[in-house]
Amino acid sequence: MVSSNVADRRIGVIGLGYVGLPLAVEFGKKRSVIGFDINRKRIAELATGHDETLELSSAELAEASLLKFTSSIDDLATCDVYIVTVPTPIDEHKRPDLTPLIMASEAIGSVLKRGDIVIYESTVYPGATEEDCVPVLERVSGLRFNQDFYAGYSPERINPGDKEHRVTNIKKVTAGSTMQVADTVDALYAEIITAGTHKAPSIRTAEAAKVIENTQRDVNIALINELALIFNKLGIDTEAVLEAAGTKWNFLPFRPGLVGGHCIGVDPYYLTHKAQSIGYQPEIILAGRRLNDGMGAYVASQLVKALMKKRIHVDGAKVLIMGLAFKENCPDLRNTKVVDIISELREYNINVDVYDPWVSADEAIREYGISPVPEMKANTYDGMVLAVAHKQFSQLSESDVRELGKEEHVLYDLKYVLPSSASDLRL
């Protein structure tokens, strides 16, 4: 039996990225917490009060007086609740890559004790916690599931770069491997989640709920992207159409664009993988994924056509990509689809400069082999693509952006940063 009293629970958070750090900080304001990450550089920076993801300020980190950082798994041995917040990416074949999750489970298994609870927050397909992670915990620890130790699931709902929707004011779904554990997990999160919690009837239900949240958004954006392709061929302004349709009370306010990041562009593949493993071929979800994954190439082809129409020599042309992060006002480069535009333009032997005031140049080089330029130079470019709506770009006028171009150039506004009449191309 596991005690439902959470007062004396000591928490270990495994993975201190966009999800784990804000969670560890909130718990660290109220109880003893150990934040663990295998990245020693990350631990050293956090210990000095610096968060390179820019999710938390030094002052906010300092508020978590009961939070300690470590890269030594042995330091987690004193914990009795482990919360796993590691990434769940896809591989080059768009299949779920559970490697970080399995490695985290092995690490926890090495210090797991009787009565401990392991809670997973990483997005997975229904069944992954109990079918993939729990056997690892059992194998490494030698303990028995739901007799010696227990599991929980509470999917993350972090929105990187969003200073309004934070971990505490977003409702939290919780679940446990037994009814009593579910109560314990729910009570634990209720300590910090001011928006309240929703206790799901099972871990599989909570896993499914999480994975369809982003799948639903992905399919809806795919529909709008397809409409944009149609309207572009018809010579109709997509934004004007969406504004008109949006006057109806129940029209959903989605916009066309690139679908990248660690959630919307990845999570649907977890669900389709599970569906295919049980003999069902998902049609709509995969169709939406194919369409969204092709938007970078479409943008590049539209730009090339526009250059040709203005009789600008494509071979050797110089193009500026404004923004590399997967979303605005955020340094997160994970699965950014801006790289698809860059890759496609380079296929035409176009010279591409990338400028992004938010991202780390070292990370851009390490992840994508892209060296961002330190500044945007006037009278330099045959084409400019407003790819990410960073506030620095939103503050620019049409003339500010056009001054970057040569006398004859093309301005492509992917994010509706400028008025409709200000750009040569829009989605």
Side-chain angles (χ1 to χ4, degrees):
M1 293 289 289
V2 61
S3 172
S4 59
N5 181 15
V6 300
D8 298 324
R9 289 284 183 177
R10 184 177 172 88
I11 296 174
V13 177
I14 293 82
L16 298 176
Y18 286 89
V19 175
L21 181 62
L23 188 73
V25 165
E26 291 303 323
F27 274 122
K29 295 175 183 178
K30 296 177 177 292
R31 61 170 64 237
S32 178
V33 177
I34 296 178
F36 170 86
D37 201 289
I38 59 173
N39 186 338
R40 293 184 178 181
K41 179 175 178 287
R42 172 74 166 156
I43 292 297
E45 289 178 344
L46 291 174
T48 63
H50 174 66
D51 171 24
E52 67 175 2
T53 70
L54 306 182
E55 288 298 298
L56 296 171
S57 66
S58 296
E60 288 172 319
L61 285 172
E63 291 177 12
S65 59
L66 300 177
L67 170 60
K68 306 298 180 185
F69 299 111
T70 185
S71 57
S72 172
I73 195 66
D74 292 338
D75 290 338
L76 292 171
T78 58
C79 299
D80 48 28
V81 173
Y82 302 92
I83 303 179
V84 181
T85 59
V86 298
T88 42
I90 52 175
D91 64 18
E92 60 184 27
H93 303 294
K94 303 188 186 303
R95 298 175 304 199
D97 179 6
L98 297 182
T99 302
L101 208 56
I102 298 303
M103 290 179 64
S105 298
E106 288 176 339
I108 294 169
S110 69
V111 294
L112 198 63
K113 309 175 297 302
R114 283 181 173 77
D116 288 356
I117 302 174
V118 185
I119 304 169
Y120 291 89
E121 288 214 2
S122 307
T123 303
V124 290
Y125 45 75
T129 297
E130 291 159 301
E131 296 167 13
D132 296 288
C133 299
V134 164
V136 174
L137 295 171
E138 288 187 312
R139 172 175 57 81
V140 177
S141 70
L143 301 176
R144 294 168 297 175
F145 178 50
N146 277 343
Q147 294 183 47
D148 301 321
F149 74 93
Y150 307 86
Y153 188 76
S154 183
E156 58 89 4
R157 281 178 168 170
I158 293 294
N159 188 24
D162 190 339
K163 301 306 180 184
E164 180 181 351
H165 301 96
R166 311 297 292 271
V167 62
T168 57
N169 60 20
I170 301 174
K171 195 160 191 173
K172 202 87 162 69
V173 174
T174 66
S177 56
T178 69
M179 291 196 326
Q180 189 175 15
V181 170
D183 290 340
T184 301
V185 172
D186 194 72
L188 196 64
Y189 280 103
E191 281 189 349
I192 63 168
I193 307 298
T194 57
T197 59
H198 173 90
K199 189 164 55 176
S202 69
I203 288 177
R204 287 167 60 89
T205 301
E207 290 168 328
K210 171 56 182 177
V211 80
I212 71 165
E213 289 175 13
N214 289 321
T215 300
Q216 183 188 65
R217 285 184 57 78
D218 191 45
V219 171
N220 275 285
I221 296 171
L223 170 62
I224 302 301
N225 275 337
E226 187 162 59
L227 293 176
L229 304 187
I230 296 170
F231 295 146
N232 283 348
K233 284 186 174 292
L234 293 173
I236 301 173
D237 188 305
T238 302
E239 176 71 358
V241 174
L242 294 175
E243 286 178 354
T247 60
K248 189 181 180 189
W249 72 91
N250 61 351
F251 186 81
L252 301 177
F254 289 95
R255 289 294 182 269
L258 305 176
V259 184
H262 65 295
C263 289
I264 301 178
V266 172
D267 295 353
Y269 288 119
Y270 275 75
L271 185 56
T272 57
H273 169 81
K274 187 65 175 181
Q276 290 167 332
S277 74
I278 58 172
Y280 180 80
Q281 181 64 21
E283 302 292 344
I284 293 176
I285 300 172
L286 286 175
R289 278 283 74 237
R290 285 192 296 271
L291 199 146
N292 285 340
D293 276 347
M295 290 305 291
Y298 173 78
V299 168
S301 68
Q302 290 296 98
L303 179 62
V304 168
K305 290 176 184 177
L307 291 171
M308 293 173 66
K309 286 179 181 179
K310 288 199 172 187
R311 300 187 182 282
I312 298 172
H313 198 54
V314 173
D315 189 357
K318 196 169 183 65
V319 169
L320 173 67
I321 304 295
M322 300 172 67
L324 182 60
F326 92 89
K327 65 177 291 186
E328 65 275 7
N329 305 323
C330 174
D332 196 347
L333 288 175
R334 288 176 296 175
N335 195 37
T336 174
K337 291 302 176 181
V338 179
V339 297
D340 293 351
I341 302 175
I342 298 167
S343 298
E344 194 71 16
L345 290 177
R346 286 175 174 169
E347 289 292 318
Y348 290 94
N349 200 32
I350 290 174
N351 298 308
V352 181
D353 277 358
V354 180
Y355 176 74
D356 192 313
W358 282 83
V359 306
S360 161
D362 290 341
E363 186 178 358
I365 294 170
R366 183 172 63 252
E367 294 296 325
Y368 301 108
I370 294 171
S371 299
V373 296
E375 60 181 353
M376 303 181 290
K377 296 181 179 179
N379 308 314
T380 300
Y381 301 101
D382 298 293
M384 295 85 71
V385 181
L386 275 161
V388 185
H390 290 316
K391 61 184 180 183
Q392 290 90 339
F393 300 149
S394 299
Q395 292 165 357
L396 299 176
S397 65
E398 176 188 355
S399 62
D400 291 332
V401 180
R402 289 202 179 273
E403 282 177 2
L404 300 169
K406 298 175 182 177
E407 184 175 352
E408 197 68 48
H409 63 262
V410 174
L411 172 54
Y412 197 152
D413 184 3
L414 272 184
K415 301 297 292 183
Y416 304 122
V417 171
L418 301 170
S420 59
S421 59
S423 59
D424 302 305
L425 287 172
R426 302 209 303 170
L427 264 184

